[in-house]
Amino acid sequence: MAQVPQTFFDALAVRTWCGLALRALGRAREEIDAINVYPVADGDTGTNLYLTAESAAAAVEAVFEAHDAHGEGKPALADAARAMAHGALIGARGNSGTILAQLLRGMAQVLAAEGETAHTDGEGLRIALRHAAESAREAVAHPVEGTVLTVASAAADAAGAAQGDCGTVARAAYDGARAALAATPGQLDVLERAGVVDAGGRGLVAVLGALVETFTGEVPRAVPVVSGASREVPAGSVEIFAASPEDCADAPAAGGPAFEVIYLLEADDTAVARLRQRLDGLGDSLVVVGGDGLWNVHVHVDDAGAAVEAGVEAGRPYRIRITHFGLGDVHTTGAERPPREPAQRAVVAVVPGEGLAGLYTEAGATAVLARPGEPPASGELVEAVRRAHAREVVLLPNDADLRHTAAAAAEQARTEGIRVALIPTRSAVQGIAALAVHEPERRFDEDVVQMTSAAGATRYAEVAVAERQSWTMAGICQAGDVLGLIDGDVAVIGSDVIVTAEAVLDRMLAAGGELVTLVLGDQAPETVADHLEARVRESYLAVDTVVYRGGRQGAVLLIGVE
């Protein structure tokens, strides 16, 4: 069905563009992965772009849902643009995804500068595309021509020469990017030898094609994808001349750094400037994007520990991902990688804090860290299922709001031949209970039944601080009140964390129980665990208590009773 075109660049256009870009990258993901030979031939550029776009789209959807829930109608252009940029920043993957995040951030800075203006026109889009290209180039330590940066600059140049509405400007940007993409093999020897265009640039052309569709309702029909291609192929069906192992053997990755290091970083501008210098001396492919205290850092190094330590010196790094390119990698040496035999069964769990992530990992699970306000997208869960490398996977979302996301991830993994069982855990303490009875040696169905039973028998609660005034099941709360939620509903409203936690615990144990699990957030009072443990010992005979440190998990305290 043809897309209903948007006349101006407003919040709805941002939402539409993100959705269409995600769909376009989804169609082209495998093809883009296949032509990925620079800067490292690790075959994941399409996947990284898709996951980055998915995070951006999810953030925009969340803004629309929040406005709808409060009866505020459509969000402002600035709100949607900022959400798009923030979502891309926190979800950016790999070199290409990090650069895409900065391109979107550069556009958002211009669009958000319009203030409360409902929309912008072709002139605003031209300025946004120019600022995006310049911002992305500035974020890369050593820009290389023949890459996505070249394609972005060409798109901005073409848009700058166009006169007309948003549709006219978007089409000019797309045409300029497409021409630049076709020329990339002549700018990078590794692309010319492999007979392909730049993978990151190909992804950007798909994103700009979605922009054209947003404003015109028409899908651009052709994309040049191979070196010297003289004919055109339909958008979304990419024709590939795959690089041979011999072609890839001379790629920069062949003698390059062994690790890719990516992390989010909370730090000020001065510290990040020093970090750039430090990381530039440690490795290559350095890209640092972001601002306003939050950054996404990407670098290829031989000493992954030093790259992380540099982040610790600059501020607070988290969501740290370290990937070993691998000796004997088919992409870097031309040798065939020995296949690793998959495990029979694995557990993948979403966890809300670093402390619990460590606990789940020690128990043998693959943990997906969910920061407060930053839930993982379905693509991230699919990637975790793949990373678990097992024939059978038990998926624990540990959040009622993630059930549909986890179901979508499970369905995707099943299409790849992985047997996945989704246990609808609504809290990390239910996941702990399920993991405690997990036995990989049991038949899969029996194991799932036992884990589901253990999770279902665990009542869960949390103690949190209200961010705003609102109606609850227990009455009206004010910002700063301490809330005690039992099984997802507010049951207690108080002013003191320890007193509220004791009231919640008493209500939960009134129905009986044998084990109390306490997970302390980093904002929990030092004495809360001692108070609650003493309360259980004095008032509830034969009930044991176990305490874990959850880290920055959003809630002050998680409580489980089983």
Side-chain angles (χ1 to χ4, degrees):
M1 182 179 296
Q3 171 66 34
V4 177
Q6 304 297 311
T7 305
F8 296 104
F9 210 150
D10 60 3
L12 184 57
V14 172
R15 184 189 201 182
T16 302
W17 180 34
C18 286
L20 292 174
L22 183 62
R23 189 171 69 184
L25 288 170
R27 289 195 304 262
R29 179 181 63 82
E30 292 183 1
E31 289 88 346
I32 295 174
D33 282 345
I35 62 172
N36 172 201
V37 297
Y38 183 87
V40 175
D42 49 357
D44 63 359
T45 290
T47 299
N48 288 336
L49 287 169
Y50 179 85
L51 292 173
T52 304
E54 185 180 46
S55 184
V60 174
E61 285 299 320
V63 168
F64 270 83
E65 289 172 4
H67 276 69
D68 184 60
H70 291 89
E72 298 174 355
K74 186 176 68 176
L77 170 61
D79 294 333
R82 290 193 190 101
M84 173 184 70
H86 181 72
L89 178 67
I90 64 174
R93 298 299 187 89
N95 188 74
S96 54
T98 307
I99 293 174
L100 175 61
Q102 187 67 0
L103 286 166
L104 297 180
R105 176 180 171 80
M107 291 190 70
Q109 287 175 325
V110 173
L111 299 175
E114 300 288 335
E116 295 303 315
T117 301
H119 63 260
T120 191
D121 55 13
E123 175 63 20
L125 180 56
R126 280 195 294 272
I127 296 172
L129 289 168
R130 169 54 59 196
H131 187 62
E134 293 174 350
S135 298
R137 192 168 286 268
E138 290 170 1
V140 178
H142 301 286
V144 174
E145 298 306 325
T147 65
V148 63
L149 298 176
T150 305
V151 175
S153 294
D157 291 343
Q163 298 296 323
D165 59 13
C166 288
T168 302
V169 173
R171 187 175 293 281
Y174 174 81
D175 289 341
R178 186 180 60 175
L181 177 66
T184 55
Q187 296 171 293
L188 271 178
D189 290 342
V190 64
L191 298 179
E192 186 172 22
R193 287 195 299 272
V196 296
V197 296
D198 178 67
R202 167 66 181 93
L204 179 58
V205 169
V207 171
L208 291 173
L211 189 65
V212 174
E213 187 178 359
T214 298
F215 292 115
T216 69
E218 301 173 2
V219 180
R221 297 301 301 168
V223 180
V225 295
V226 296
S227 176
S230 59
R231 64 191 189 283
E232 297 181 338
V233 296
S237 62
V238 182
E239 186 175 6
I240 299 168
F241 285 38
S244 69
E246 290 76 13
D247 292 327
C248 296
D250 294 328
F259 297 96
E260 177 185 60
V261 178
I262 305 174
Y263 49 80
L264 291 178
L265 177 71
E266 293 178 355
D268 58 36
D269 292 2
T270 302
V272 170
R274 293 194 298 268
L275 175 66
R276 289 179 190 270
Q277 294 181 346
R278 174 84 180 276
L279 293 179
D280 195 25
L282 287 176
D284 58 30
S285 296
L286 174 61
V287 186
V288 181
V289 305
D292 302 320
L294 180 62
W295 309 81
N296 192 304
V297 179
H298 171 280
V299 67
H300 294 172
V301 293
D302 281 320
D303 190 343
V308 175
E309 288 173 6
V312 172
E313 293 175 4
R316 193 182 76 85
Y318 60 98
R319 280 199 180 183
I320 301 168
R321 299 186 186 93
I322 300 174
T323 303
H324 190 280
F325 292 129
L327 300 175
D329 191 316
V330 65
H331 296 296
T332 58
T333 68
E336 185 173 346
R337 180 189 297 157
R340 179 165 64 95
E341 183 69 19
Q344 182 60 35
R345 190 172 308 157
V347 176
V348 173
V350 180
V351 290
E354 295 91 341
L356 281 179
L359 173 68
Y360 273 75
T361 301
E362 288 175 7
T366 297
V368 179
L369 186 62
R371 304 299 308 175
E374 302 171 7
S378 61
E380 190 169 356
L381 296 186
V382 173
E383 185 184 28
V385 171
R386 294 176 183 138
R387 192 168 66 247
H389 198 58
R391 299 182 182 90
E392 302 166 340
V393 173
V394 179
L395 183 56
L396 306 175
N398 290 340
D399 186 333
D401 292 336
L402 282 177
R403 182 169 182 177
H404 294 300
T405 300
E411 189 61 32
Q412 173 62 37
R414 291 183 189 117
T415 66
E416 300 177 11
I418 304 171
R419 190 180 184 189
V420 182
L422 171 62
I423 297 179
T425 49
R426 294 171 290 174
S427 171
V429 291
Q430 288 188 321
I432 291 173
L435 200 56
V437 300
H438 168 55
E439 291 186 12
E441 294 77 18
R442 267 196 302 236
R443 288 180 57 250
F444 185 62
D445 292 340
E446 292 177 359
D447 198 29
V448 171
V449 167
Q450 291 300 319
M451 294 177 72
T452 302
S453 178
T458 302
R459 300 190 68 197
Y460 67 96
E462 67 177 75
V463 176
V465 178
E467 297 181 354
R468 63 182 69 86
Q469 183 188 58
S470 62
W471 291 87
T472 75
M473 296 285 289
I476 300 175
C477 73
Q478 306 295 327
D481 282 349
V482 180
L483 306 180
L485 296 87
I486 299 177
D487 293 338
D489 293 323
V490 176
V492 180
I493 300 175
S495 58
D496 180 83
V497 170
I498 293 177
V499 173
T500 302
E502 288 182 340
V504 169
L505 190 57
D506 285 341
R507 291 198 183 195
M508 297 181 74
L509 286 172
E514 299 176 354
L515 176 66
V516 172
T517 300
L518 304 175
V519 182
L520 307 180
D522 57 3
Q523 296 180 335
E526 289 292 329
T527 58
V528 65
D530 292 338
H531 275 280
L532 295 179
E533 285 186 289
R535 181 83 169 186
V536 172
R537 282 196 307 270
E538 295 167 3
S539 304
Y540 304 97
L541 298 177
V543 177
D544 294 325
T545 305
V546 60
V547 180
Y548 301 110
R549 295 281 175 178
R552 188 185 175 201
Q553 62 186 24
V556 176
L557 174 69
L558 299 178
I559 304 174
V561 173
E562 53 185 298

Short mmCIF file of all heavy atoms in Angstrom, two decimals, residues 194-247:
data_model
loop_
_atom_site.label_atom_id
_atom_site.label_comp_id
_atom_site.label_asym_id
_atom_site.label_seq_id
_atom_site.Cartn_x
_atom_site.Cartn_y
_atom_site.Cartn_z
N ALA A 194 36.74 -5.95 -3.92
CA ALA A 194 35.62 -6.82 -3.59
C ALA A 194 34.46 -6.68 -4.57
O ALA A 194 33.57 -7.54 -4.62
CB ALA A 194 35.12 -6.52 -2.18
N GLY A 195 34.46 -5.61 -5.35
CA GLY A 195 33.40 -5.40 -6.32
C GLY A 195 32.09 -4.98 -5.71
O GLY A 195 31.01 -5.31 -6.22
N VAL A 196 32.15 -4.23 -4.60
CA VAL A 196 30.94 -3.80 -3.91
C VAL A 196 31.03 -2.32 -3.55
O VAL A 196 32.11 -1.73 -3.54
CB VAL A 196 30.71 -4.61 -2.61
CG1 VAL A 196 30.49 -6.07 -2.92
CG2 VAL A 196 31.90 -4.44 -1.65
N VAL A 197 29.87 -1.73 -3.25
CA VAL A 197 29.84 -0.37 -2.75
C VAL A 197 29.98 -0.40 -1.23
O VAL A 197 29.96 -1.47 -0.62
CB VAL A 197 28.52 0.34 -3.15
CG1 VAL A 197 28.41 0.47 -4.65
CG2 VAL A 197 27.32 -0.42 -2.59
N ASP A 198 30.14 0.77 -0.62
CA ASP A 198 30.29 0.83 0.83
C ASP A 198 29.00 0.42 1.52
O ASP A 198 27.91 0.91 1.19
CB ASP A 198 30.68 2.25 1.26
CG ASP A 198 30.80 2.37 2.76
OD1 ASP A 198 31.72 1.76 3.33
OD2 ASP A 198 29.96 3.06 3.37
N ALA A 199 29.10 -0.49 2.49
CA ALA A 199 27.91 -1.03 3.16
C ALA A 199 27.20 0.04 3.98
O ALA A 199 25.97 0.15 3.96
CB ALA A 199 28.30 -2.21 4.05
N GLY A 200 27.96 0.85 4.73
CA GLY A 200 27.34 1.90 5.51
C GLY A 200 26.64 2.93 4.64
O GLY A 200 25.55 3.40 4.95
N GLY A 201 27.28 3.27 3.52
CA GLY A 201 26.67 4.21 2.59
C GLY A 201 25.39 3.63 1.99
O GLY A 201 24.40 4.35 1.79
N ARG A 202 25.41 2.33 1.70
CA ARG A 202 24.21 1.67 1.17
C ARG A 202 23.07 1.76 2.18
O ARG A 202 21.91 1.99 1.83
CB ARG A 202 24.52 0.20 0.84
CG ARG A 202 23.30 -0.67 0.59
CD ARG A 202 22.54 -0.26 -0.65
NE ARG A 202 21.36 -1.10 -0.85
CZ ARG A 202 20.14 -0.81 -0.41
NH1 ARG A 202 19.94 0.28 0.30
NH2 ARG A 202 19.13 -1.62 -0.66
N GLY A 203 23.40 1.60 3.46
CA GLY A 203 22.38 1.72 4.49
C GLY A 203 21.81 3.13 4.56
O GLY A 203 20.59 3.31 4.72
N LEU A 204 22.67 4.14 4.44
CA LEU A 204 22.19 5.52 4.48
C LEU A 204 21.28 5.82 3.30
O LEU A 204 20.28 6.53 3.43
CB LEU A 204 23.37 6.49 4.50
CG LEU A 204 22.99 7.98 4.53
CD1 LEU A 204 22.12 8.29 5.74
CD2 LEU A 204 24.24 8.86 4.52
N VAL A 205 21.60 5.27 2.13
CA VAL A 205 20.73 5.46 0.97
C VAL A 205 19.34 4.87 1.25
O VAL A 205 18.31 5.45 0.87
CB VAL A 205 21.35 4.82 -0.29
CG1 VAL A 205 20.35 4.77 -1.43
CG2 VAL A 205 22.58 5.63 -0.73
N ALA A 206 19.30 3.74 1.94
CA ALA A 206 18.00 3.15 2.30
C ALA A 206 17.23 4.08 3.24
O ALA A 206 16.01 4.25 3.11
CB ALA A 206 18.21 1.79 2.96
N VAL A 207 17.93 4.68 4.19
CA VAL A 207 17.30 5.60 5.14
C VAL A 207 16.78 6.84 4.41
O VAL A 207 15.67 7.33 4.69
CB VAL A 207 18.30 5.99 6.25
CG1 VAL A 207 17.73 7.10 7.13
CG2 VAL A 207 18.63 4.77 7.11
N LEU A 208 17.56 7.36 3.46
CA LEU A 208 17.12 8.53 2.70
C LEU A 208 15.99 8.16 1.74
O LEU A 208 15.11 8.99 1.44
CB LEU A 208 18.30 9.14 1.94
CG LEU A 208 19.36 9.79 2.82
CD1 LEU A 208 20.57 10.20 1.99
CD2 LEU A 208 18.79 11.01 3.56
N GLY A 209 16.00 6.94 1.24
CA GLY A 209 14.88 6.48 0.42
C GLY A 209 13.59 6.49 1.22
O GLY A 209 12.51 6.84 0.71
N ALA A 210 13.68 6.13 2.52
CA ALA A 210 12.51 6.18 3.39
C ALA A 210 12.05 7.62 3.60
O ALA A 210 10.85 7.89 3.75
CB ALA A 210 12.84 5.53 4.73
N LEU A 211 13.00 8.56 3.61
CA LEU A 211 12.65 9.97 3.74
C LEU A 211 11.87 10.45 2.51
O LEU A 211 10.90 11.20 2.63
CB LEU A 211 13.92 10.80 3.93
CG LEU A 211 13.73 12.28 4.30
CD1 LEU A 211 13.08 12.40 5.68
CD2 LEU A 211 15.08 13.01 4.28
N VAL A 212 12.28 9.99 1.34
CA VAL A 212 11.55 10.32 0.11
C VAL A 212 10.13 9.77 0.19
O VAL A 212 9.15 10.47 -0.11
CB VAL A 212 12.28 9.75 -1.12
CG1 VAL A 212 11.43 9.97 -2.38
CG2 VAL A 212 13.64 10.42 -1.30
N GLU A 213 10.01 8.53 0.62
CA GLU A 213 8.68 7.91 0.73
C GLU A 213 7.81 8.65 1.74
O GLU A 213 6.59 8.78 1.55
CB GLU A 213 8.83 6.44 1.12
CG GLU A 213 7.50 5.68 1.08
CD GLU A 213 7.67 4.21 1.41
OE1 GLU A 213 8.81 3.77 1.65
OE2 GLU A 213 6.64 3.51 1.44
N THR A 214 8.42 9.15 2.80
CA THR A 214 7.68 9.89 3.82
C THR A 214 6.99 11.12 3.23
O THR A 214 5.83 11.41 3.55
CB THR A 214 8.63 10.32 4.96
OG1 THR A 214 9.18 9.16 5.58
CG2 THR A 214 7.89 11.16 6.00
N PHE A 215 7.70 11.84 2.35
CA PHE A 215 7.17 13.11 1.85
C PHE A 215 6.51 13.02 0.48
O PHE A 215 5.84 13.97 0.06
CB PHE A 215 8.29 14.15 1.80
CG PHE A 215 8.78 14.57 3.16
CD1 PHE A 215 10.07 14.28 3.57
CD2 PHE A 215 7.93 15.22 4.04
CE1 PHE A 215 10.51 14.65 4.83
CE2 PHE A 215 8.36 15.59 5.30
CZ PHE A 215 9.66 15.31 5.71
N THR A 216 6.70 11.93 -0.23
CA THR A 216 6.09 11.81 -1.56
C THR A 216 5.13 10.64 -1.67
O THR A 216 4.31 10.59 -2.60
CB THR A 216 7.17 11.65 -2.64
OG1 THR A 216 7.80 10.38 -2.51
CG2 THR A 216 8.21 12.77 -2.55
N GLY A 217 5.24 9.68 -0.77
CA GLY A 217 4.42 8.48 -0.86
C GLY A 217 4.94 7.48 -1.87
O GLY A 217 4.34 6.43 -2.07
N GLU A 218 6.08 7.79 -2.49
CA GLU A 218 6.64 6.92 -3.53
C GLU A 218 7.93 6.26 -3.03
O GLU A 218 8.76 6.90 -2.39
CB GLU A 218 6.95 7.73 -4.79
CG GLU A 218 5.73 8.41 -5.38
CD GLU A 218 6.10 9.33 -6.53
OE1 GLU A 218 7.30 9.39 -6.87
OE2 GLU A 218 5.20 9.99 -7.07
N VAL A 219 8.09 4.99 -3.36
CA VAL A 219 9.31 4.26 -3.00
C VAL A 219 10.32 4.44 -4.13
O VAL A 219 10.03 4.09 -5.28
CB VAL A 219 9.03 2.76 -2.81
CG1 VAL A 219 10.31 2.01 -2.44
CG2 VAL A 219 7.96 2.56 -1.75
N PRO A 220 11.50 5.00 -3.85
CA PRO A 220 12.53 5.11 -4.90
C PRO A 220 12.82 3.74 -5.49
O PRO A 220 12.95 2.74 -4.78
CB PRO A 220 13.74 5.66 -4.14
CG PRO A 220 13.16 6.37 -2.97
CD PRO A 220 11.95 5.57 -2.58
N ARG A 221 12.94 3.66 -6.79
CA ARG A 221 12.96 2.38 -7.47
C ARG A 221 14.34 1.76 -7.68
O ARG A 221 14.43 0.61 -8.04
CB ARG A 221 12.28 2.52 -8.84
CG ARG A 221 10.82 2.89 -8.75
CD ARG A 221 10.04 1.88 -7.97
NE ARG A 221 10.09 0.55 -8.54
CZ ARG A 221 9.69 -0.53 -7.91
NH1 ARG A 221 9.23 -0.46 -6.68
NH2 ARG A 221 9.77 -1.71 -8.51
N ALA A 222 15.41 2.52 -7.52
CA ALA A 222 16.70 1.93 -7.90
C ALA A 222 17.82 2.33 -6.96
O ALA A 222 17.86 3.44 -6.46
CB ALA A 222 17.06 2.35 -9.32
N VAL A 223 18.72 1.39 -6.71
CA VAL A 223 19.89 1.62 -5.88
C VAL A 223 21.08 0.93 -6.50
O VAL A 223 21.05 -0.28 -6.75
CB VAL A 223 19.69 1.05 -4.45
CG1 VAL A 223 20.93 1.31 -3.60
CG2 VAL A 223 18.47 1.65 -3.79
N PRO A 224 22.17 1.64 -6.82
CA PRO A 224 23.38 0.98 -7.31
C PRO A 224 24.08 0.27 -6.16
O PRO A 224 24.33 0.87 -5.13
CB PRO A 224 24.23 2.14 -7.84
CG PRO A 224 23.78 3.31 -7.04
CD PRO A 224 22.33 3.10 -6.72
N VAL A 225 24.36 -1.01 -6.31
CA VAL A 225 24.91 -1.75 -5.18
C VAL A 225 26.23 -2.46 -5.49
O VAL A 225 26.84 -3.00 -4.58
CB VAL A 225 23.89 -2.80 -4.68
CG1 VAL A 225 22.67 -2.12 -4.12
CG2 VAL A 225 23.53 -3.76 -5.78
N VAL A 226 26.63 -2.49 -6.77
CA VAL A 226 27.87 -3.18 -7.08
C VAL A 226 28.78 -2.27 -7.87
O VAL A 226 28.34 -1.34 -8.54
CB VAL A 226 27.61 -4.48 -7.89
CG1 VAL A 226 26.82 -5.46 -7.07
CG2 VAL A 226 26.91 -4.17 -9.19
N SER A 227 30.06 -2.51 -7.78
CA SER A 227 31.04 -1.71 -8.49
C SER A 227 30.81 -1.80 -9.99
O SER A 227 30.72 -2.88 -10.57
CB SER A 227 32.44 -2.20 -8.15
OG SER A 227 33.40 -1.49 -8.89
N GLY A 228 30.69 -0.64 -10.61
CA GLY A 228 30.55 -0.60 -12.07
C GLY A 228 29.19 -1.00 -12.56
O GLY A 228 29.00 -1.28 -13.75
N ALA A 229 28.17 -1.06 -11.67
CA ALA A 229 26.83 -1.46 -12.10
C ALA A 229 26.27 -0.45 -13.08
O ALA A 229 26.22 0.72 -12.80
CB ALA A 229 25.90 -1.58 -10.89
N SER A 230 25.82 -0.92 -14.21
CA SER A 230 25.29 -0.03 -15.21
C SER A 230 23.77 -0.12 -15.30
O SER A 230 23.14 0.65 -15.99
CB SER A 230 25.88 -0.37 -16.59
OG SER A 230 25.58 -1.71 -16.93
N ARG A 231 23.20 -1.11 -14.64
CA ARG A 231 21.76 -1.24 -14.67
C ARG A 231 21.23 -1.07 -13.25
O ARG A 231 21.97 -1.16 -12.28
CB ARG A 231 21.35 -2.60 -15.21
CG ARG A 231 21.77 -3.78 -14.36
CD ARG A 231 21.54 -5.07 -15.14
NE ARG A 231 21.73 -6.24 -14.32
CZ ARG A 231 22.90 -6.72 -13.97
NH1 ARG A 231 24.01 -6.08 -14.32
NH2 ARG A 231 22.99 -7.82 -13.24
N GLU A 232 19.94 -0.85 -13.13
CA GLU A 232 19.34 -0.58 -11.84
C GLU A 232 18.50 -1.76 -11.40
O GLU A 232 17.97 -2.51 -12.22
CB GLU A 232 18.47 0.68 -11.93
CG GLU A 232 19.31 1.92 -12.26
CD GLU A 232 18.46 3.18 -12.32
OE1 GLU A 232 17.23 3.04 -12.52
OE2 GLU A 232 19.00 4.27 -12.16
N VAL A 233 18.39 -1.91 -10.10
CA VAL A 233 17.59 -3.00 -9.54
C VAL A 233 16.57 -2.40 -8.59
O VAL A 233 16.78 -1.32 -8.04
CB VAL A 233 18.49 -4.01 -8.78
CG1 VAL A 233 19.44 -4.67 -9.73
CG2 VAL A 233 19.25 -3.34 -7.66
N PRO A 234 15.45 -3.07 -8.36
CA PRO A 234 14.41 -2.53 -7.48
C PRO A 234 14.92 -2.32 -6.07
O PRO A 234 15.72 -3.12 -5.57
CB PRO A 234 13.32 -3.61 -7.52
CG PRO A 234 13.57 -4.36 -8.79
CD PRO A 234 15.05 -4.33 -8.99
N ALA A 235 14.47 -1.22 -5.46
CA ALA A 235 14.84 -0.97 -4.07
C ALA A 235 14.35 -2.11 -3.21
O ALA A 235 13.24 -2.60 -3.37
CB ALA A 235 14.20 0.34 -3.60
N GLY A 236 15.21 -2.54 -2.28
CA GLY A 236 14.82 -3.62 -1.37
C GLY A 236 15.27 -4.99 -1.87
O GLY A 236 15.31 -5.94 -1.11
N SER A 237 15.60 -5.12 -3.18
CA SER A 237 16.15 -6.39 -3.66
C SER A 237 17.54 -6.09 -4.19
O SER A 237 17.72 -5.71 -5.32
CB SER A 237 15.28 -6.98 -4.77
OG SER A 237 15.24 -6.11 -5.88
N VAL A 238 18.53 -6.21 -3.30
CA VAL A 238 19.87 -5.75 -3.60
C VAL A 238 20.67 -6.82 -4.30
O VAL A 238 20.77 -7.95 -3.84
CB VAL A 238 20.59 -5.34 -2.29
CG1 VAL A 238 21.96 -4.81 -2.59
CG2 VAL A 238 19.76 -4.30 -1.56
N GLU A 239 21.26 -6.48 -5.44
CA GLU A 239 22.09 -7.42 -6.19
C GLU A 239 23.52 -7.29 -5.68
O GLU A 239 24.05 -6.21 -5.55
CB GLU A 239 22.03 -7.09 -7.67
CG GLU A 239 22.74 -8.10 -8.55
CD GLU A 239 22.55 -7.78 -10.02
OE1 GLU A 239 21.98 -6.73 -10.32
OE2 GLU A 239 23.00 -8.58 -10.84
N ILE A 240 24.15 -8.42 -5.39
CA ILE A 240 25.45 -8.39 -4.73
C ILE A 240 26.48 -9.21 -5.49
O ILE A 240 26.20 -10.31 -5.93
CB ILE A 240 25.34 -8.98 -3.30
CG1 ILE A 240 24.36 -8.12 -2.49
CG2 ILE A 240 26.67 -9.04 -2.60
CD1 ILE A 240 23.98 -8.78 -1.20
N PHE A 241 27.67 -8.64 -5.60
CA PHE A 241 28.83 -9.41 -6.03
C PHE A 241 29.62 -9.66 -4.75
O PHE A 241 30.36 -8.80 -4.29
CB PHE A 241 29.67 -8.60 -7.02
CG PHE A 241 29.06 -8.52 -8.40
CD1 PHE A 241 27.69 -8.40 -8.58
CD2 PHE A 241 29.86 -8.56 -9.51
CE1 PHE A 241 27.14 -8.31 -9.84
CE2 PHE A 241 29.32 -8.48 -10.78
CZ PHE A 241 27.95 -8.35 -10.95
N ALA A 242 29.43 -10.80 -4.14
CA ALA A 242 30.04 -11.04 -2.83
C ALA A 242 31.55 -11.09 -2.94
O ALA A 242 32.11 -11.64 -3.88
CB ALA A 242 29.53 -12.37 -2.25
N ALA A 243 32.20 -10.50 -1.94
CA ALA A 243 33.65 -10.51 -1.91
C ALA A 243 34.17 -11.90 -1.59
O ALA A 243 33.64 -12.59 -0.73
CB ALA A 243 34.14 -9.53 -0.84
N SER A 244 35.18 -12.32 -2.30
CA SER A 244 35.78 -13.62 -2.02
C SER A 244 36.71 -13.50 -0.83
O SER A 244 37.12 -12.42 -0.46
CB SER A 244 36.59 -14.08 -3.24
OG SER A 244 37.73 -13.26 -3.41
N PRO A 245 37.09 -14.61 -0.20
CA PRO A 245 38.03 -14.55 0.90
C PRO A 245 39.33 -13.87 0.51
O PRO A 245 39.93 -13.16 1.31
CB PRO A 245 38.25 -16.04 1.26
CG PRO A 245 36.99 -16.72 0.83
CD PRO A 245 36.57 -15.99 -0.41
N GLU A 246 39.76 -14.07 -0.74
CA GLU A 246 41.02 -13.43 -1.16
C GLU A 246 40.85 -11.92 -1.21
O GLU A 246 41.75 -11.17 -0.89
CB GLU A 246 41.44 -13.97 -2.53
CG GLU A 246 41.90 -15.43 -2.51
CD GLU A 246 40.73 -16.41 -2.41
OE1 GLU A 246 39.57 -16.00 -2.62
OE2 GLU A 246 40.99 -17.59 -2.13
N ASP A 247 39.68 -11.46 -1.64
CA ASP A 247 39.43 -10.03 -1.68
C ASP A 247 39.51 -9.45 -0.29
O ASP A 247 40.07 -8.37 -0.08
CB ASP A 247 38.03 -9.74 -2.25
CG ASP A 247 37.92 -10.09 -3.72
OD1 ASP A 247 38.94 -9.96 -4.41
OD2 ASP A 247 36.83 -10.49 -4.15
#
